Amino acid sequence: MKQSKMLIHTLREVPRDAEVISQQLMMRAGMIQKLAAGIYDYLPLAFRSIRKFEQIVREELAKDGCQELLMPTVQPSELWQESGRWSFYGKELLRFKDRKDAAFCLGPTHEEVITDIVRRNVSSYKQLPMNLFQIQTKFRDEIRPRFGLMRGREFIMKDAYSFDVDDAAADKSYWAMFNAYTRIFARLGVKFRHVEADSGAIGGSFTHEFHVLAGSGEDAILSCDACDYASNLEKTEAPRIPAVDHGPAMALKPAHFKTPGITAMADQARAFKDAEHDGLPLHQTSKVYWMDADIVVGKDADGHVTRRLAVAVVLRGDHEMNLVKVKNSLGAVDLQPMADAEDFTGALSGFLGPVPREGTRLWDLGRTDPEGLVYLVDKALEGASNLTCGANETDGHHFGFDPARDLPGARFLDLRLAQEGDLCPRCGKGHYQAFRGIEVGQVFKLGTKYSKSMNCNYLDEHGKENPMVMGCYGIGIGRTVAAAIEQNFDADGIIWPWPIAPYQVHLLDLDPGNAMVREVAERMERELEAAGFEVLHDDREGLSPGAKFKDADLLGFPLRAMVGSRGLKEGLVELRDRRTKEVVKFKPEDVVAQVTAARDRMMGELAIQGGR
Ligand code: ATP
Ligand code: MG
């Protein structure tokens, strides 16, 4: 392919709104451009990488007998009402009406449509297991689309769905897909790892995420340095730690410590002084997060009826709340910090506490609807007493707080964020190490959530009807390609891993005006292509070699072949490795052998580093 004819417009400057490196480099390399927030054009270079990654995905899924189909992007609301998600799925679901006033949405995922397809076409146990996938454009009206292809509103996803006769068979499908993902990301040549994860809005019984490891990743991962446990921080189990003994329990002493204007926990701990105390350890302090939680309490014609609860989440002063754990422990469909917490408790933020004070809305709610008030206390405070807590009175803190005694109906649960260095609760030997990752894929065991609500049943060998047991499996195609760049770049540009490079060889004609140079370059292009290599031939006239080198570095194909009049005088051309910058000189007729050897070396290195 001649570069002079290709749609590539490189930029010298970093586009102003490009926040992360993959986005900057893909925009500068003329691979993508923004059409609207979170919506990008995939220009030819990007599309080549995307197609290559899709091909890897297709090949690996085919090995497990997964069949490809294509479902519509536009989905009727009726299906979503059947599954119950029309009212559950938040604003990310873009809903609209057609000219006949019928409601539709743009598919953010396809559980409903695939379940409908299978219930209409599969009825016997003899047809199961069934595993179907598509590679298709999804739309999620993300609140803050960002980072280019990493968090778009419109993006390409591979989504697969498995249908089985029972749990054991569904587990087999799950692990087959898990293994296929491992092969897919290893073939890509990126460093990745799988982690246990939260099942989120899709629901389901268990799930793993696959992360490409990169400092810019949005997800925090903790993994044990002694056993196999690795998990998304959202889900990571915090080790059980016994409550610290702070002496015989005392009565609650309201507003005992005066702490004017002091809100930071560490400052408070120092400020807790009285006749017996000269400052307190942080682990003797507590803090509360007042939250609004929406819980489903019934069903009506429009979907679900929810009830709003006021939730106090109480933690040790030196621990942080894990929102996902709190949300899951309540089974809440929505959980938000209480916007009017100051009004509710009667104190300014920094002095909020869990214990109601007379004359406040918190006190009123506790008396009129104690069930509307929920106390969740982190396990690390089980059995603790003599703690401090906010007094719900500006500039004051209580002392002698005992959560089990002072909070009616308090439940003690694991609610905190685990931390790097925590003892691993799984093996009890190792400690957590922290990583950052980009979630590129996820496998879910769904169970019968959709098959039951949508009547996707099969007849077993005794003629009895049973719901199918499902799994669903996603890979973000564009996000993965971007994540590969996040792991493979330098100051000059992208360094493509061979398997998804838009082209493998960038052939630079450094002297297009010279007939001999042009002839040799043309011949090398033909020979490489005949040998099956993908070549972009920079035949552009009127550009200095330096300008061509800069572009080639930015585009970052694994190999750069260079033909110039100076080298040809000695009968030599050059091949440069984008990653190591090593250059070899050889006769033009050896180009296929040289490129083949370089490819084999690079693929060998990928095989070693692939995986973790
Ligand atoms: P996230 O937590 O990052 O929002 P998710 O868990 O909601 O993602 P899934 O429903 O698991 O996403 O979708 C499967 C895959 O699709 C993800 O693993 C990710 O690679 C990709 N993906 C999800 N949302 C986006 C997006 N907004 N832009 C690009 N890719 C996405
Ligand atoms: Mg996910």
Side-chain angles (χ1 to χ4, degrees):
M1 176 74 196
K2 299 285 189 290
Q3 192 162 343
S4 57
K5 298 282 180 299
M6 185 150 186
L7 179 63
I8 306 178
H9 178 69
T10 57
L11 306 173
R12 289 268 171 272
E13 300 297 319
V14 177
R16 229 183 303 135
D17 54 351
E19 297 160 277
V20 292
I21 206 77
S22 58
Q23 181 187 17
Q24 292 170 1
L25 290 174
M26 289 181 98
M27 290 178 89
R28 284 186 54 211
M31 299 183 74
I32 55 169
Q33 66 189 19
K34 187 149 124 188
L35 185 62
I39 303 179
Y40 284 83
D41 299 316
Y42 303 98
L43 301 176
L45 283 181
F47 197 54
R48 289 181 69 91
S49 287
I50 284 172
R51 275 281 183 266
K52 284 187 171 185
F53 181 49
E54 289 177 358
Q55 189 53 28
I56 293 176
V57 170
R58 287 192 167 95
E59 285 171 16
E60 294 305 327
L61 295 187
K63 288 181 188 162
D64 289 319
C66 196
Q67 303 169 58
E68 185 167 5
L69 46 57
L70 186 61
M71 293 179 259
T73 309
V74 173
Q75 308 183 7
S77 64
E78 288 80 9
L79 283 183
W80 286 71
Q81 256 142 8
E82 264 192 72
S83 73
R85 282 208 291 187
W86 188 251
S87 55
F88 263 134
Y89 218 104
K91 290 201 172 140
E92 277 184 21
L93 187 66
L94 186 65
R95 300 153 212 248
F96 58 94
K97 290 197 167 157
D98 70 3
R99 63 171 75 199
K100 293 184 184 143
D101 222 25
F104 289 87
C105 64
L106 288 185
T109 170
H110 279 67
E111 282 78 13
E112 282 78 2
V113 179
I114 198 82
T115 307
D116 179 63
I117 290 174
V118 171
R119 74 179 168 184
R120 284 157 68 173
N121 293 284
V122 178
S123 54
S124 161
Y125 72 96
K126 290 183 191 146
Q127 294 164 283
L128 299 176
M130 179 72 71
N131 202 335
L132 301 161
F133 82 99
Q134 66 172 347
I135 296 179
Q136 195 245 17
T137 299
K138 298 278 184 275
F139 194 92
R140 294 182 182 178
D141 202 356
E142 297 267 354
I143 186 163
R144 212 159 72 79
R146 57 191 180 279
F147 307 157
L149 298 193
M150 295 245 250
R151 185 168 297 284
R153 291 196 295 163
E154 183 178 302
F155 58 96
I156 305 170
M157 195 202 284
K158 182 287 298 178
D159 43 328
Y161 305 87
S162 63
F163 296 82
D164 278 282
V165 291
D166 58 23
D167 256 328
D171 284 356
K172 245 172 114 180
S173 297
Y174 180 94
W175 290 111
M177 194 59 83
F178 182 99
N179 292 333
Y181 274 37
T182 306
R183 297 195 302 269
I184 287 167
F185 293 114
R187 269 186 69 179
L188 189 64
V190 292
K191 291 185 210 73
F192 71 96
R193 67 175 307 163
H194 57 78
V195 303
E196 293 182 16
D198 177 62
S199 49
I202 294 194
S205 30
F206 65 89
T207 172
H208 286 87
E209 289 169 351
F210 285 74
H211 285 260
V212 165
L213 302 179
S216 59
E218 283 192 280
D219 286 281
I221 296 167
L222 290 178
S223 79
C224 174
D225 58 13
C227 73
D228 268 348
Y229 183 50
S231 148
N232 191 312
L233 178 64
E234 290 181 346
K235 170 93 192 279
T236 313
E237 290 166 31
R240 277 169 173 267
I241 41 178
V244 182
D245 186 0
H246 302 300
M250 291 182 266
L252 188 70
K253 299 183 183 168
H256 178 78
F257 287 115
K258 295 294 167 209
T259 46
I262 302 174
T263 53
M265 287 314 303
D267 296 339
Q268 281 176 24
R270 273 192 294 275
F272 292 135
K273 289 184 181 168
D274 60 12
E276 287 127 63
H277 303 97
D278 182 17
L280 290 173
L282 256 183
H283 55 246
Q284 200 172 351
T285 66
S286 77
K287 59 183 170 191
V288 66
Y289 296 89
W290 277 104
M291 312 292 291
D292 277 329
D294 294 331
I295 314 280
V296 177
V297 288
K299 240 183 172 176
D300 68 4
D302 295 333
H304 293 87
V305 184
T306 57
R307 168 158 198 227
R308 178 156 284 194
L309 303 177
V311 182
V313 184
V314 181
L315 291 143
R316 225 167 76 171
D318 54 343
H319 290 159
E320 296 304 323
M321 172 169 66
N322 182 323
L323 269 174
V324 173
K325 288 181 183 173
V326 173
K327 191 170 174 195
N328 289 348
S329 65
L330 292 162
V333 283
D334 197 27
L335 180 74
Q336 301 287 343
M338 192 184 278
D340 55 350
E342 293 186 345
D343 179 33
F344 181 70
T345 57
L348 286 184
S349 147
F351 306 96
L352 307 191
V355 185
R357 184 164 64 91
E358 220 170 315
T360 61
R361 283 173 54 212
L362 169 56
W363 168 266
D364 292 341
L365 183 67
R367 281 188 315 159
T368 55
D369 181 12
E371 283 175 18
L373 204 55
V374 173
Y375 290 111
L376 297 181
V377 184
D378 184 63
K379 269 216 169 290
L381 289 179
E382 194 163 24
S385 55
N386 299 343
L387 302 169
T388 68
C389 68
N392 285 330
E393 198 177 309
T394 300
D395 294 343
H397 277 80
H398 294 333
F399 185 58
F401 173 50
D402 179 332
R405 180 193 67 197
D406 300 330
L407 304 179
R411 288 160 60 201
F412 290 83
L413 303 164
D414 176 12
L415 303 170
R416 71 181 171 99
L417 285 178
Q419 294 167 347
E420 177 155 41
D422 275 351
L423 184 70
C424 169
R426 292 279 174 99
C427 69
K429 293 191 194 98
H431 292 85
Y432 287 149
Q433 280 181 315
F435 297 92
R436 301 222 54 99
I438 300 166
E439 180 203 322
V440 288
Q442 187 158 16
V443 289
F444 286 95
K445 183 165 174 216
L446 283 171
T448 53
K449 181 177 154 85
Y450 294 90
S451 47
K452 273 193 178 147
S453 59
M454 295 183 65
N455 290 317
C456 180
N457 300 322
Y458 71 95
L459 291 176
D460 64 19
E461 52 272 63
H462 312 295
K464 187 171 159 270
E465 199 165 74
N466 299 297
M468 296 184 201
V469 185
M470 291 173 57
C472 74
Y473 317 95
I475 289 180
I477 300 290
R479 187 186 281 186
T480 305
V481 170
I485 296 177
E486 290 291 330
Q487 225 179 53
N488 295 282
F489 68 93
D490 64 12
D492 300 321
I494 303 170
I495 306 176
W496 284 105
W498 185 279
I500 53 164
Y503 288 91
Q504 297 149 350
V505 183
H506 207 163
L507 172 62
L508 308 192
D509 179 338
L510 300 177
D511 211 349
N514 179 318
M516 188 171 63
V517 172
R518 180 176 312 171
E519 198 191 304
V520 171
E522 293 283 343
R523 199 170 61 230
M524 284 166 65
E525 180 187 355
R526 277 195 309 274
E527 286 176 7
L528 284 170
E529 284 183 348
F533 292 106
E534 296 159 355
V535 183
L536 183 66
H537 179 169
D538 189 351
D539 60 336
R540 293 175 300 169
E541 293 179 14
L543 277 184
S544 68
K548 291 194 172 189
F549 293 154
K550 264 204 154 43
D551 269 357
D553 276 343
L554 176 60
L555 301 189
F557 307 153
L559 293 171
R560 181 210 292 178
M562 292 163 286
V563 191
S565 39
R566 216 183 303 159
L568 278 190
K569 273 194 199 125
E570 295 163 37
L572 296 175
V573 295
E574 296 181 7
L575 191 67
R576 184 174 186 266
D577 181 316
R578 174 67 184 86
R579 193 180 296 274
T580 64
K581 303 192 166 104
E582 275 165 27
V583 176
V584 282
K585 294 186 184 186
F586 52 89
K587 293 198 214 89
E589 53 268 36
D590 292 338
V591 68
V592 169
Q594 287 290 338
V595 168
T596 305
R599 188 238 0 240
D600 292 347
R601 195 190 65 243
M602 286 182 183
M603 292 299 281
E605 282 160 10
L606 282 189
I608 295 165
Q609 79 152 34
R612 49 185 174 122

